[in-house]
Amino acid sequence: MIVNRQRRVPVAIHPLKLFYERVRSELGFAPETVTIQLISDETMALLNETFRKKQGPTDVLSFPANGARPVQGVDYIGDIAISPETARRNARRYSRSLSVEIRILILHGMIHLAGFDHETDHGEMERLERRLRKRLRVAGR
């Protein structure tokens, strides 16, 4: 499920929902087990400070429901927060559309919910993300 809780950046939700379903299927997540919320930079900055002790907004944060790795048969896997404001800035920097940037963030966040962590896994998450971007036809960085 994708919920738009911000109003500053217009976002076409339906195409993102279709992409989310493709990623969900690729990762083997059951339906209705992940919620993605599009939030303001202000809200994202609060989450980033609260949970990561970092100042300012970031583009995406993942919140696993049951710790670092999902448990088989769990009713809910977790939440993803995405800031379209930050995503738009990054899209401009990387010369791609906002739609592509948000797709990349959805994929990145869902891979985190699958238990991967690019800060500690010696490139495993990056390799998986690269393969899935190619398979799902999402432009890379």
Side-chain angles (χ1 to χ4, degrees):
M1 167 177 24
I2 299 178
V3 180
N4 190 2
R5 298 197 181 281
Q6 60 84 47
R7 298 289 173 249
R8 290 198 174 130
V9 178
V11 178
I13 299 298
H14 182 70
L16 296 177
K17 285 182 180 180
L18 296 175
F19 180 77
Y20 156 79
E21 286 299 328
R22 290 175 57 210
V23 175
R24 184 193 59 73
S25 178
E26 283 285 337
L27 293 175
F29 293 168
E32 309 294 326
T33 57
V34 174
T35 298
I36 298 170
Q37 295 192 41
L38 305 179
I39 61 175
S40 68
D41 263 1
E42 181 180 338
T43 302
M44 182 62 90
L46 289 171
L47 292 174
N48 204 21
E49 169 69 26
T50 301
F51 294 101
R52 297 179 65 224
K53 306 298 182 228
K54 295 192 177 193
Q55 294 292 311
T58 187
D59 51 6
V60 61
L61 291 173
S62 297
F63 300 95
N66 294 307
R69 290 232 178 237
V71 179
Q72 199 71 340
V74 170
D75 292 335
Y76 197 73
I77 293 174
D79 299 299
I80 298 170
I82 295 174
S83 170
E85 292 172 82
T86 299
R88 181 172 57 189
R89 286 191 298 275
N90 290 343
R92 288 177 181 150
R93 180 176 30 202
Y94 295 117
S95 299
R96 57 181 167 231
S97 71
L98 176 61
S99 175
V100 166
E101 187 69 23
I102 292 177
R103 281 176 172 82
I104 289 169
L105 297 175
I106 288 170
L107 177 60
H108 187 85
M110 291 185 72
I111 292 171
H112 271 301
L113 292 182
F116 292 87
D117 184 353
H118 52 82
E119 293 181 7
T120 61
D121 70 8
H122 307 290
E124 186 179 4
M125 178 176 172
E126 183 179 335
R127 288 187 295 276
L128 173 61
E129 187 170 342
R130 203 172 322 125
R131 282 194 310 272
L132 288 174
R133 281 187 191 184
K134 189 173 185 177
R135 189 177 311 154
L136 296 167
R137 293 185 174 98
V138 179
R141 287 190 188 205

